[in-house]
Each structure stands twice: as C-alpha cells, then as structure tokens.
Amino acid sequence: MIIRGDEPEQLRLIRKLYKPGNYFMQGNEAVAYGALFAGCRFYAGYPITPSSEIAETMARELPKLGGYYLQMEDEIGSIAAMVGASWTGFKVMTATAGPGFSLMQENLGYAVMTETPLVLVDVQRSGPSTGQATKGAQGDFFQARWGTHGDHPIVAVSPTSGQDAFWETIRAFNIAEKLRTPVVVLFDGVLAHTREQIKIPDIEEVEIAYRKLPQNEEEARLPFGDPHGDGVPPMPLFGHGYFTHVTGSTHKENGLRDVYTPEVHDKLVRRIHRKIEKNREVYEKYEEHFTDDAEILVVSWGVSARPALGAVLRAREEGINVGLFVPKTVHPFPAERMRELGKRVRTILVAEMNLGQMIIEVERYVNDDVLLKGVNKIGGVPLTVEEILREIRGVA
Amino acid sequence: MAKKIYSTYPMVKYLRKEALPTALCPGCGGGTVLNAFANAIDSLKLDPKDLVVVSGIGCSAWIASPYFLADTLHTTHGRAIAFATGVKVGLPDKKVVVISGDGDLASIGGNHLLHAARRNIDITVILVNNFIYGMTGGQVAPTTPFGAKTTTSPYRNIEHPLQISETVAAAGASYVARWTTAHVYQLIESIKKALQVKGFSLVEVISQCPVQFGRRNRMKEPAEMLHWFLKNSVPVSKARNMSPEELEGKFVIGEFVNRERPEFITELNKLIDEVQEHFGLKE
Ligand SMILES: Cc1ncc(C[n+]2csc(CCOP(=O)(O)OP(=O)(O)O)c2C)c(N)n1
Ligand code: SF4
C-alpha cells in the first residue's frame, strides 16, 4: 500500500522545483506550498474569494509533481471527491471560504465519522452570507467547531502569518494523517492576500507524517477497530483486496452498519472523541510572549495575533505588565494552559476580527474575578496595533 | 427446455454474507438489480478485488453497499458520483461503479451526474429509477409520473418527470442505456457493456417499488408493476418516430448512446505527462 507523495521520486521533484530560500509571496501561495511539501497530491475545489489563489497555485504546481488538480462542480462535490481520493491513499486538500465552508459541512461530518484524513482550508471572509466577499474576517471559529451536526470532535489550526501558514498547513496534514481525521485550517482573507517574505526550507527540514496502515489481515478487517489502544485505527486503503466497507452511518469495528444498537453508536462516537482528546500532544500548540509576569493577558489568534504582539511589545516599553497567549491549534482549545494563565492575571483582553467568538471559549477557563473584555472589529479591516494598545492602556 | 430448480444460488459468492439478509422489501426491484450486477461481474470474470462500488443514501443505495463483496463506499445523500470521482483518480485501473436511486442521483445529486457525464470520467452508474423516494416513505420524486400519487403529492403529481437517460446522453456520456427489471437479460448485457466502456456510462433501471409506489398507484403486487413496465416499454428505435403525445407515459428502453469520447482520467494523466515533460521533470 502506498501513500502518494512519499516516494523518493517525489523528494527529488520537490528539490528540483522549489529551491530553499526566501520568496516574496502571498499567504495563499504559502498554504499551497506547505501542502505540496507535506505530500498533498490531490486537490479538489471550487473557486471562491479570498481562497482562489490556493486553487490556482495547486492547479499550476500539482501536475509538475504528478499530482491531481480537480475543479469540481461545487464545494459539496469537492470534499466528496477528497474523501474518495483519501481512501485510495492520497493526501488531500481543498480550500474555500465562508459560503463554500457551509456547503462542505455535511461531508466534513462524514469525514469525521469515517475517519478520513483530509485538510480543509477555510480562508475566512466577512459574513454572514456573501457579506463583504473580498474582505478578511475571523467569523468562522464556531462554524469550524460546530458547523456539522451531531456529537463530534474537530481539530482546527490557525496560522498567524504567511510564513506560519506554510508550516501550519504541513502540521495540519501531519495531524490529519496521525489521527485519521479531517483537519480545518482557519486562515483569513487578510493574510491570504498579504505578500511578504516567506522562507522555503529544504524538504529534509520538514517533518512529514503518514497514516497508519494495517500490518496484517486481521487489522485490515477491522477498519474501525482500535488494535493499538490509541483510538486510531489503521486505514485499509481501497484497491488492495480487503473488501472494506465505509459508511457514514453508525458502524461496527468491521465497518458494517448497525444503527439500532445503542452500545455500537456509543462505543464508536466515544472512541472518535477519545482519539482526539487522548492525543493532545499530536496537535496542541500555542505561543506565549511575556506571560511569566503578566498581570494583563492578551489572547488572540490568526491574523489578529500579529497586531496583538505589536501592541504588547509597545505596552511593555511603557512599563505595562502585559503578556500574549496565541492558540495555534484553536480546536480543541488549549484549555489547561488557558486555565493556568487565567489564574495568574487580573485582566484578559481577547482580540479578534469578529464580534466575540474565541472569547466565549476563553471564558470557560477563567475565574469570575478576572476582567474579561473583547477587542473586536468587523468590516473587513484588521485590528491595528494602536487599537489594541489603546485597550491595554485602558485596563492597565 | 427442462425447468431447473436451484437449491443453491451461485451468485451468493459475490455477497457480503454477514450483511444478509438484505433490508429490501420482498418483491423490491433492488434484488433484481443486485442479481443482474452480480451476473454481469460473473460473466465478465471480473475479480471483485478490482471493483470499488460507491452509493449514496436510499433503498437502492444499499443494493451494492453493503451487500456486494468489494470495497464499498456508502456516502452522503446525492454525492456518490463525486466521491467516486476521487476514488477513480486514485485507482484508475479499477472499475468504479455507482449504484443508487433516482432521488439520490438525479435530484439532490443531479449536478454531479451531469458534470460527471460532461467530463466523461470512466465510472459506471447504475441508476435505479423507482419513481419515488422509497426509503423516506414514498414522497414525490423528480421521476414520479405526471398525475401519480405519492405521500407528498396525495392528490396527484403536477410536475413533469425528468428523462434521466436522455439528459445524461445529452450531457456527454459515452454509454447510456435504459431497461426495466422486466428486461433482465438485456439489463445484464448493458451493465457488461457499461463496465467495459472507457468513459462515463449510465444504465438506468426502471424498477418496482411495490411498497411505496405500487401501493399508492393501484399496483400492490410486484408482478403488476412488471406487467406495467412490459406493456408500456417502447424500444428507442421505435420511439424516434413517435410524437411526444404518443410517448406520454411510455418507457423508452434500449441503448441511447454508445460512443467514444476522450475520457477524463486519461486526459488528466496525459496532461500531467506533458507538463512534466515540458518542465524537464522526467528522469
Ligand atoms: C441531505 C439529505 N437530505 C435528505 C435525506 C433523506 N433521504 C434519505 S433517502 C432519500 C431518498 C431516496 O430516494 P431514492 O434515491 O430514489 O432511493 P429509493 O429509496 O427510492 O431507492 C432521502 C430524501 C438525507 N439522507 N440527506
Ligand atoms: S420501499 Fe420500495 S424501494 Fe425501498 S426496499 Fe421497499 S420496495 Fe424497495
């Protein structure tokens, strides 16, 4: 069985095509190159601003690497084709924005239930609905978490710069492969279209993970079992004679449908949750600045984390004891660390380009005696250093 | 010819025994379709290891997934063809077959059906047209005959049915045929042809749903429905000389197209070759 993209031939092609060094490129291009370095060789998508350059870059680059770009008839078809391709051993990705992300939700749930690795980049744009279609935003925090129906875990990462987008996309693939699960990349229209210097490493410097494959017939016959006790079943790929049955309906370990036995549903859905909960070290990631002695804590994510850092640095110069906490994996939330930090500070400011979404998550982990305040901005223009600094001064 | 009585059913070797018996109602045309499909596979001597069968949601979706013993992907309602597209890109040397209902493939999934035909991707679709949404309790479908009764057209259906085979042929498929469950041998031959055609192939099977459709339209017994199919079937060649009025309520059966057109995966791989050649990336 092969996972496409890990053949030595592929490394040779990557080396030949993408020389290490500094490039001037858009965040969207950085996402695409991250995917190519991670081994993505199948992309199915449908154009939507502000994500389209990811599709365009993949359409241009994938054939060079022997990979496949498919422009599907819509977003529903795109994620469906990805799931099909993933079961044949491809590492797969799509990119979209709000309306397309909404259309993908049903099959995102399907990917969770069938434990299909895939990476879904949502370049967040201003909504609701068509909103300010070309402008960036951070309004899909909860859509990523609860957009599809049912009890389900989800992993979502969120890059804070173009350079970070390159590495976070690779990390998203690695998480998807290690945990046999879909991973959402919550990017945004501002960083997607910002051109900046991005360093492309040598492929040797990149950690690349591959999904667990069955080691014997017995493991292959239980595509939804847990033979290793880590909650992650080996994935018997299609086309290898295992007669694997995959369904989004509640299924037993052998894949066959059983929607009537409560225990079967309970066991399956709880294992899928446990697989994410228990493997925190695979995906948990956050950044901290000056949190040791902070009395005020700024919590921010994605595009807003950059002006937030600017504001914290300036406030430090003014002698204000302020720190910054940036979850890089936003779902599941870095609850433990947030709780520790929440105990130490008196004020928390949550800076984001929406009317208050991550702040709801932060609130769950801080005590009542902490002053919690949102620094929010909508309208398609990112928060500035000045705007966040003003709020820090206001609570100092 | 002497009548044979079978005490064993040789096609059972193609079925997933632990999933049996099937959930289909007694007398459902789905059994005939499964039988025809297994016979086609058997007579082509295809190894089920070289098959991936994909289906959506509905009674007809269950015909091959889970019952057929191959790699099977039971997907979301309407999306089977899009899932199958990804599978085919990954496994171009395998036969990728979609078996599902008319509601699934032509209503909610109509867009994927048209575009797969347009692309001419090498997958075979067996579309079971029972004129109704069987699984959800007999609601009106885009194939329900004008005037027929269903649970959501309790007085009569005032919408006109979609002619699926004609539409898919026009969209660009390589092979399109329509039969009924009363034309089993022709159906098997068409499935065999469809499996061998390089390109998008559709076999539409008009099938009885005595429980949801027949019961509400004065054909409670499966046999009554089969008689209805036989009495109203018109071969494609004859239909060409008939007026729309004469064709009202008739089932046009036979092969609609059988032609060679560039196939999607072949073109995709050709393109990749050209690009790699152009950039000097071949060893
Ligand atoms: C998104 C979505 N909408 C609706 C349904 C409910 N649903 C399940 S099967 C079905 C209709 C199936 O009809 P058809 O494809 O004709 O198959 P049949 O049962 O008649 O064989 C519907 C509407 C669903 N599962 N998913
Ligand atoms: S409801 Fe109709 S289509 Fe469904 S299994 Fe019964 S007879 Fe067949």
Side-chain angles (χ1 to χ4, degrees):
Chain A
M1 267 192 257
I2 50 161
I3 309 293
R4 314 300 168 81
D6 68 339
E7 305 88 339
E9 164 68 6
Q10 289 291 334
L11 299 185
R12 178 187 75 81
L13 286 175
I14 290 261
R15 278 229 179 75
K16 186 159 181 185
L17 284 166
Y18 316 117
K19 300 266 177 279
N22 289 323
Y23 293 82
F24 189 61
M25 63 168 89
Q26 269 189 5
N28 273 343
E29 292 170 283
V31 168
Y33 287 110
L36 296 173
F37 273 62
C40 174
R41 294 296 176 271
F42 182 96
Y43 181 100
Y46 190 79
I48 183 169
T49 305
S51 76
S52 298
E53 294 84 1
I54 299 178
E56 289 162 7
T57 308
M58 294 306 263
R60 192 183 64 230
E61 299 303 319
L62 271 173
K64 298 181 189 168
L65 293 160
Y68 298 87
Y69 170 85
L70 263 67
Q71 189 155 312
M72 293 299 285
E73 48 276 7
D74 57 29
E75 285 84 353
I76 302 175
S78 304
I79 181 165
M82 284 163 74
V83 172
S86 186
W87 275 91
T88 72
F90 274 119
K91 291 189 178 181
V92 300
M93 181 174 88
T94 193
T96 188
F101 193 32
S102 297
L103 288 182
M104 289 182 184
Q105 290 297 340
E106 187 195 14
N107 282 337
L108 181 59
Y110 183 91
V112 170
M113 192 62 154
T114 56
E115 301 176 76
T116 306
L118 61 84
V119 172
L120 195 174
V121 183
D122 172 28
V123 184
Q124 296 167 91
R125 69 185 217 182
S126 173
S129 190
T130 326
Q132 299 166 287
T134 61
K135 307 284 187 192
Q138 289 183 289
D140 302 349
F141 182 79
F142 284 113
Q143 193 188 357
R145 179 65 196 91
W146 292 117
T148 192
H149 58 284
D151 294 303
H152 64 85
I154 199 80
V155 179
V157 307
S158 189
T160 55
S161 68
Q163 180 72 68
D164 198 35
F166 176 84
W167 289 106
E168 285 297 291
T169 304
I170 294 170
R171 200 165 71 84
F173 272 96
N174 290 347
I175 298 166
E177 292 290 319
K178 285 181 187 167
L179 298 184
R180 223 186 112 178
T181 194
V183 174
V184 176
V185 179
L186 279 177
F187 203 34
D188 65 86
V190 178
L191 294 177
H193 284 164
T194 302
R195 285 186 180 275
E196 50 191 333
Q197 179 174 297
I198 285 161
K199 184 166 182 273
I200 296 294
D202 187 274
I203 184 79
E204 285 301 327
E205 296 165 43
V206 179
E207 183 217 330
I208 301 177
Y210 295 97
R211 68 196 68 171
K212 209 196 290 175
L213 300 173
Q215 296 306 304
N216 50 49
E217 284 288 323
E218 200 179 328
E219 284 191 4
R221 273 199 301 273
L222 296 178
F224 303 92
D226 185 11
H228 307 141
D230 57 355
V232 188
M235 186 168 176
L237 303 177
F238 283 174
H240 297 271
Y242 292 125
F243 298 154
T244 304
H245 180 57
V246 179
T247 175
S249 301
T250 293
H251 42 271
K252 297 176 284 194
E253 295 189 341
N254 64 6
L256 284 184
R257 185 172 181 275
D258 177 350
V259 300
Y260 301 108
T261 316
E263 293 75 25
V264 170
H265 184 80
D266 187 280
K267 191 174 167 203
L268 170 67
V269 177
R270 281 186 201 273
R271 178 182 55 74
I272 292 176
H273 277 264
R274 194 176 63 238
K275 155 175 105 169
I276 303 300
E277 280 156 19
K278 294 281 181 211
N279 290 291
R280 224 161 234 283
E281 74 289 351
V282 173
Y283 56 81
E284 186 157 87
K285 190 176 172 190
Y286 47 79
E287 259 176 44
E288 290 184 33
H289 303 269
F290 313 108
T291 45
D292 288 350
D293 64 345
E295 290 163 24
I296 302 167
L297 183 69
V298 179
V299 180
S300 192
W301 63 290
V303 56
S304 302
R306 273 169 90 176
L309 179 60
V312 167
L313 289 170
R314 293 261 297 275
R316 279 270 158 185
E317 281 167 17
E318 293 173 16
I320 303 173
N321 277 354
V322 55
L324 176 65
F325 182 62
V326 182
K328 299 300 284 286
T329 298
V330 297
H331 299 299
F333 200 69
E336 211 173 308
R337 186 61 188 149
M338 187 67 242
R339 206 174 273 125
E340 285 163 13
L341 291 172
K343 277 188 199 135
R344 287 207 241 132
V345 298
R346 56 176 171 80
T347 305
I348 295 178
L349 300 174
V350 183
E352 44 185 346
M353 263 180 95
N354 56 38
L355 290 181
Q357 296 199 12
M358 186 185 268
I359 193 171
I360 296 171
E361 190 73 15
V362 172
E363 189 174 13
R364 298 167 58 200
Y365 306 108
V366 299
N367 297 341
D368 287 349
D369 55 359
V370 174
L371 172 71
L372 184 62
K373 193 166 179 235
V375 184
N376 308 100
K377 187 171 177 184
I378 55 173
V381 184
L383 281 158
T384 63
V385 170
E386 270 305 324
E387 283 164 340
I388 301 171
L389 182 60
R390 204 181 309 138
E391 296 291 332
I392 296 172
R393 285 190 193 122
V395 294
Chain B
M1 213 165 57
K3 282 190 178 160
K4 281 189 199 159
I5 295 173
Y6 291 101
S7 57
T8 59
Y9 174 58
M11 294 301 123
V12 80
K13 64 178 185 235
Y14 293 110
L15 304 186
R16 213 177 235 121
K17 291 189 193 62
E18 61 274 32
L20 296 176
T22 77
L24 303 174
C25 308
C28 174
T32 308
V33 177
L34 179 54
N35 194 354
F37 180 60
N39 271 281
I41 297 297
D42 194 65
S43 98
L44 288 176
K45 299 197 167 43
L46 284 179
D47 186 341
K49 289 186 173 159
D50 294 328
L51 267 182
V52 182
V53 191
V54 186
S55 70
I57 300 287
C59 302
S60 309
W62 283 2
I63 291 172
S65 151
Y67 302 121
F68 201 85
L69 188 58
D71 284 329
T72 43
L73 185 61
H74 179 229
T75 69
T76 45
H77 188 40
R79 313 304 167 195
I81 292 176
F83 279 85
T85 299
V87 173
K88 184 67 189 182
V89 172
L91 298 171
D93 300 329
K94 306 280 176 190
K95 302 273 182 208
V96 178
V97 183
V98 172
I99 305 183
S100 216
D102 54 288
D104 188 76
L105 292 167
S107 181
I108 186 168
N111 201 28
H112 307 302
L113 179 65
L114 288 184
H115 288 281
R118 170 181 68 80
R119 280 183 195 110
N120 202 29
I121 183 169
D122 184 25
I123 58 181
T124 296
V125 175
I126 301 176
L127 183 151
V128 184
N129 180 356
N130 58 11
F131 312 119
I132 204 152
Y133 287 11
M135 177 164 278
T136 39
Q139 295 85 8
V140 73
T143 46
T144 304
F146 189 81
K149 288 188 179 168
T150 72
T151 52
T152 51
S153 60
Y155 305 112
R156 64 186 171 88
N157 178 27
I158 55 160
E159 296 182 15
H160 302 280
L162 179 69
Q163 298 301 335
I164 295 170
S165 286
E166 288 85 340
T167 307
V168 171
S174 273
Y175 181 84
V176 177
R178 181 194 282 133
W179 297 105
T180 79
T181 44
H183 298 85
V184 180
Y185 293 99
Q186 296 93 323
L187 175 61
I188 295 172
E189 286 311 308
S190 269
I191 296 176
K192 282 162 66 179
K193 274 195 198 169
L195 286 167
Q196 288 166 298
V197 158
K198 187 91 190 147
F200 188 81
S201 52
L202 170 82
V203 179
E204 179 182 352
V205 194
I206 293 181
S207 174
Q208 74 275 20
C209 167
V211 172
Q212 298 293 5
F213 186 85
R215 183 157 54 101
R216 295 192 175 83
N217 293 280
R218 281 174 274 108
M219 289 176 284
K220 239 182 17 251
E221 295 300 324
E224 291 177 75
M225 295 201 72
L226 293 174
H227 283 305
W228 176 47
F229 297 163
L230 283 174
K231 223 171 77 198
N232 291 289
S233 292
V234 178
V236 143
S237 51
K238 196 173 159 201
R240 286 202 184 103
N241 302 316
M242 289 167 71
S243 67
E245 292 74 38
E246 288 173 302
L247 283 171
E248 185 68 45
K250 296 279 186 283
F251 311 119
V252 180
I253 53 167
E255 276 183 10
F256 287 75
V257 286
N258 188 357
R259 61 191 168 196
E260 269 182 42
R261 279 185 70 218
E263 191 272 330
F264 178 68
I265 308 284
T266 317
E267 293 300 313
L268 195 52
N269 281 311
K270 227 160 60 186
L271 178 85
I272 291 170
D273 266 1
E274 279 167 26
V275 171
Q276 291 196 317
E277 195 79 54
H278 175 82
F279 287 99
L281 297 166
K282 297 239 153 133
E283 277 279 67

